[in-house]
Amino acid sequence: MPLSQGLVLGIALAVIVAVVVGLAVYWFSTPRIIEVRISTTTSLYQTGLLEYLADKFREKYPNVKLEFIAVGTGRALKLAERGDVCATFVHAPSLEKRYIEAGVIGDGRIFAYNYFIIVGPRDDPADVRSAKSAVEAFKLIYMAGEEGRAKFVSRGDNSGTNIKELSLWRAAGLDPSRKPWYKESGQGMSETLVMADEMGAYTLSDISTFLSLKKKGRVPHLEILYDRGEELINIYSAYIVKSCRGVQRGYAEKFIEFVAGPEGQRIIAEYGKEEFGKPLFGAAAPRLQELKGIWERLARG
């Protein structure tokens, strides 16, 4: 082989080696992005709370990408059952209990709470404002519906809100499911509220989603008509999906610990205060034992 050809081949080989070494150094020195999928109820996501918590978490773990799948609680737990997510953030104790007992989820942490509210048209044809309890309010809506004076929009999607609504109808001893004034949206909370606003109907909502939409002017005709009592408390819990393994599980556990820990609880206690004049959620830590007791009662149905 002529000297010039040997020199060229040597240079080429040296360049290839340098490139390979450079790529190897880059690969091993650059943090690998780890994606962790989490199913969540829509109220936590649509209010922006989870994304805000995730942003703060990323400051500690910049190589972790949290991917949220926002659906109703029923679907969120189904995703956990299929092993499509590593953690789930939900708010339906009676449904959660079934998945705990089935071995789908575990290591639960209560991290936040707020309240369900009954909203409706400001002229309040069912006189819900006069109710002494949420069950009485539902009885008034039923009566007004039968008299052609009111409508009710249900999410009808097996979400935490839908499960609470159905429990209130049962407590009232009523079944409106086949009534012409009772409509099912089959959609999330935001869509259901907009539908109720357009129809001049009543609905049950979590307070955070309602306040967010009200602030944006999307439900101008709806008002909060009833928002009192333990029967309307709305408890949010986070769980690890037991089928999740490896590094993704580790970071899912770290995120839940962050949310339920001191920094996450401070964020939750303040979230929404500047924009809405009051927080959209309550931090669980100051009332944790009380909330655990309420969760147990709600889980029994």
Side-chain angles (χ1 to χ4, degrees), residues 72-90:
T73 287
R75 288 179 61 193
L77 289 167
K78 281 292 183 185
L79 288 169
E81 185 177 43
R82 293 205 302 259
D84 292 338
V85 295
C86 273
T88 188
F89 287 60
V90 287

Side-chain angles (χ1 to χ4, degrees), residues 40-50 53 90-91 111-115 206-212 234-237 264-273 276 278-284 286-287 291:
T40 174
T41 180
T42 55
S43 55
L44 290 170
Y45 186 76
Q46 291 175 345
T47 56
L49 174 61
L50 269 190
L53 286 164
V90 287
H91 66 138
F111 65 91
Y113 71 96
N114 59 16
Y115 290 87
D206 66 280
I207 192 168
S208 55
T209 305
F210 175 77
L211 290 177
S212 179
N234 182 21
I235 298 175
Y236 293 90
S237 300
Q265 291 294 285
R266 284 195 298 272
I267 290 170
I268 291 168
E270 295 292 323
Y271 189 77
K273 185 182 290 186
F276 299 99
K278 61 180 179 180
L280 293 182
F281 301 87
R287 299 179 61 183
L291 291 172

Side-chain angles (χ1 to χ4, degrees), residues 52-109:
Y52 188 70
L53 286 164
D55 287 343
K56 295 299 182 182
F57 182 75
R58 288 187 198 106
E59 292 177 5
K60 300 177 183 296
Y61 303 100
N63 63 318
V64 178
K65 179 183 178 183
L66 301 176
E67 180 184 347
F68 297 111
I69 304 171
V71 289
T73 287
R75 288 179 61 193
L77 289 167
K78 281 292 183 185
L79 288 169
E81 185 177 43
R82 293 205 302 259
D84 292 338
V85 295
C86 273
T88 188
F89 287 60
V90 287
H91 66 138
S94 61
L95 193 55
E96 293 159 32
K97 185 179 180 182
R98 292 183 220 166
Y99 283 82
I100 293 169
E101 292 175 344
V104 174
I105 56 175
D107 302 321
R109 300 287 298 272

Side-chain angles (χ1 to χ4, degrees), residues 46-283:
Q46 291 175 345
T47 56
L49 174 61
L50 269 190
E51 281 290 0
Y52 188 70
L53 286 164
D55 287 343
K56 295 299 182 182
F57 182 75
R58 288 187 198 106
E59 292 177 5
K60 300 177 183 296
Y61 303 100
N63 63 318
V64 178
K65 179 183 178 183
L66 301 176
E67 180 184 347
F68 297 111
I69 304 171
V71 289
T73 287
R75 288 179 61 193
L77 289 167
K78 281 292 183 185
L79 288 169
E81 185 177 43
R82 293 205 302 259
D84 292 338
V85 295
C86 273
T88 188
F89 287 60
V90 287
H91 66 138
S94 61
L95 193 55
E96 293 159 32
K97 185 179 180 182
R98 292 183 220 166
Y99 283 82
I100 293 169
E101 292 175 344
V104 174
I105 56 175
D107 302 321
R109 300 287 298 272
I110 294 173
F111 65 91
Y113 71 96
N114 59 16
Y115 290 87
F116 292 107
I117 54 175
I118 301 172
V119 302
R122 62 174 59 96
D123 62 345
D124 189 15
D127 196 23
V128 167
R129 288 189 182 93
S130 70
K132 299 297 189 294
S133 69
V135 171
E136 183 184 343
F138 269 51
K139 289 179 179 179
L140 291 171
I141 293 170
Y142 189 96
M143 186 184 307
E146 292 295 87
E147 294 172 355
R149 295 184 291 110
K151 296 176 182 178
F152 188 95
V153 179
S154 168
R155 283 183 60 167
D157 64 349
N158 200 34
S159 61
T161 306
N162 184 216
I163 290 169
K164 170 57 72 173
E165 176 223 322
L166 296 178
S167 74
L168 291 171
W169 289 121
R170 285 195 300 272
L174 300 168
D175 179 9
S177 59
R178 298 183 182 276
K179 301 296 182 178
W181 50 267
Y182 183 83
K183 309 294 182 182
E184 291 187 348
S185 73
Q187 300 186 78
M189 196 69 254
S190 294
E191 295 84 359
T192 300
L193 282 164
V194 170
M195 183 175 170
D197 185 82
E198 292 172 348
M199 293 176 59
Y202 294 91
T203 193
L204 185 75
S205 173
D206 66 280
I207 192 168
S208 55
T209 305
F210 175 77
L211 290 177
S212 179
L213 291 191
K214 192 73 172 175
K215 180 79 172 179
K216 296 172 183 175
R218 294 184 61 192
V219 287
H221 306 108
L222 294 182
E223 301 286 342
I224 297 175
L225 304 174
Y226 192 89
D227 62 352
R228 303 178 294 280
E230 181 183 305
E231 61 189 339
L232 290 183
I233 197 165
N234 182 21
I235 298 175
Y236 293 90
S237 300
Y239 298 90
I240 287 293
V241 177
K242 289 192 173 183
S243 62
C244 181
R245 295 288 185 268
V247 67
Q248 284 81 8
R249 181 188 180 108
Y251 281 113
E253 290 173 343
K254 288 180 185 295
F255 182 59
I256 291 176
E257 183 60 37
F258 171 78
V259 170
E263 186 175 352
Q265 291 294 285
R266 284 195 298 272
I267 290 170
I268 291 168
E270 295 292 323
Y271 189 77
K273 185 182 290 186
E274 185 174 336
E275 184 175 359
F276 299 99
K278 61 180 179 180
L280 293 182
F281 301 87

